[in-house]
Amino acid sequence: MAGQNPSETPPPSLVCVLCLQDDNDVDRLGEKLKKGSFCVHHYCLIFANKLKRKGKKRQGFHGHLFADIRKEVERAAKQVCCVCGEYGAATSCGDIGNCQRTFHFPCGQKHGFISQYFDPYR
């Protein structure tokens, strides 16, 4: 923008590696966890189907190791979202055996899919 001080320009928003969206709605997606250019929504992390917390709470993002997150991103890159039709769907329907649908966590939320979390996370 002409005449704008470069130091006043907001930084570019980082895109979540799991849902591929830059949404900053903390209530819907949890906090955006960032390390350098690596970014993921906390809820996308929790509801990623094949991602397990293997580290201690202070390792990676809340115990999710970066190498494991990258593997889940690679796996999800082959999955098509049943809502938007784009690749990168890391969340699957919890109706085991009866439903094979995968989706981006925010896409599922926007279409009324129900996600439940019970502590403790394993």
Side-chain angles (χ1 to χ4, degrees), residues 2-93:
Q4 185 176 12
N5 183 339
S7 64
E8 294 174 9
T9 304
S13 184
L14 294 174
V15 173
C16 172
V17 296
L18 287 171
C19 72
L20 309 176
Q21 298 180 26
D22 66 353
D23 194 325
N24 290 316
D25 188 338
V26 177
D27 292 332
R28 276 189 338 104
L29 302 171
E31 67 179 307
K32 237 181 191 179
L33 307 168
K34 303 172 198 166
K35 182 168 181 161
S37 62
F38 195 82
C39 174
V40 64
H41 294 114
H42 190 200
Y43 297 163
C44 290
L45 195 66
I46 290 172
F47 289 103
N49 235 40
K50 303 292 182 184
L51 188 58
K52 304 295 180 216
R53 188 167 61 192
K54 296 179 184 174
K56 295 179 182 175
K57 191 164 187 147
R58 295 185 186 259
Q59 292 178 297
F61 291 137
H62 300 286
H64 294 92
L65 304 176
F66 296 119
D68 294 335
I69 297 169
R70 286 186 189 97
K71 286 179 189 173
E72 178 61 4
V73 169
E74 290 174 17
R75 184 198 70 80
K78 301 170 191 157
Q79 305 297 316
V80 177
C81 177
C82 67
V83 176
C84 73
E86 299 292 328
Y87 283 93
T91 306
S92 295
C93 180

